[in-house]
Amino acid sequence: GGKSTLFMYGMTGSGKTYSMAGIHQRASFDLFQGVKSLRLQAYELVGKKCFDLLSPAGEQHPDKEEVFLRVGEDGNTHVCGTTVCDVSTTTELHQALVRAAGQRETAATGMNATSSRSHAVYDVTLPEGGSFMMIDLAGNEANAETAGHDKEQMAEAAEINASLMAVNSCLRARATHASHVPYRDSTL
């Protein structure tokens, strides 16, 4: 019943999403060892908004379903409104992960023709209550890499970099057992 999280973190164009695709394939096989079914939720964070990556509406409409992050009475953050996909085979899980990954926001940058412009969260819940989260973060970009960006792309890159810095601060605070962990510094 434990919880595990895997982060893909690095520069734009470093191969995070490519590596995550391999992990999706391997995890699809490994997670079904000894269990008959799993539940998958997948969503992306774009700026300060959150969108469902498994919504049937996302497949038929260019606009994805917006979902919301809420703190529950238990003190944990919950994603409200996501599609929950029940899967019972390795193939079903892998196909759902591939479909979700294909719904992500991408755009051309100076480093990559199809750069991920969102943070993707793939949350697999096990029957006994455990979970495995795979988080593919958008890449951070140095100032030199954003030189050809327009105003909107510059704002997007700044938002991505700020959210990655907030994650870094949280991880550092947890690792050093700081009295305060700045979880609310970013939607991520």
Side-chain angles (χ1 to χ4, degrees), residues 11 26 43 78 99 176:
M11 296 294 293
R26 183 63 194 204
Y43 52 95
H78 301 277
R99 182 167 49 100
T176 61

Side-chain angles (χ1 to χ4, degrees), residues 101-160:
Q103 295 291 324
R104 283 186 73 186
E105 289 293 317
T106 61
T109 66
M111 298 297 291
N112 190 344
T114 56
S115 180
S116 300
R117 308 315 295 159
S118 67
H119 305 301
V121 179
Y122 309 95
D123 188 0
V124 180
T125 305
L126 305 168
E128 70 277 1
S131 70
F132 180 46
M133 275 190 158
M134 297 169 278
I135 303 173
D136 186 5
L137 299 169
N140 57 325
E141 297 178 357
N143 285 340
E145 295 162 357
T146 62
H149 286 13
D150 62 25
K151 188 175 180 178
E152 185 177 312
Q153 290 171 314
M154 290 290 284
E156 178 183 71
E159 177 72 34
I160 289 169

Side-chain angles (χ1 to χ4, degrees), residues 20-38 87-98 124 126-127 132 134:
M20 183 62 81
I23 289 168
H24 283 169
Q25 185 171 13
R26 183 63 194 204
S28 295
F29 175 78
D30 288 348
L31 289 170
F32 268 102
Q33 301 302 308
V35 300
K36 295 184 192 262
S37 66
L38 300 168
V87 293
S88 56
T89 68
T90 297
T91 302
E92 285 179 4
L93 177 57
H94 187 250
Q95 287 174 344
L97 287 166
V98 167
V124 180
L126 305 168
F132 180 46
M134 297 169 278

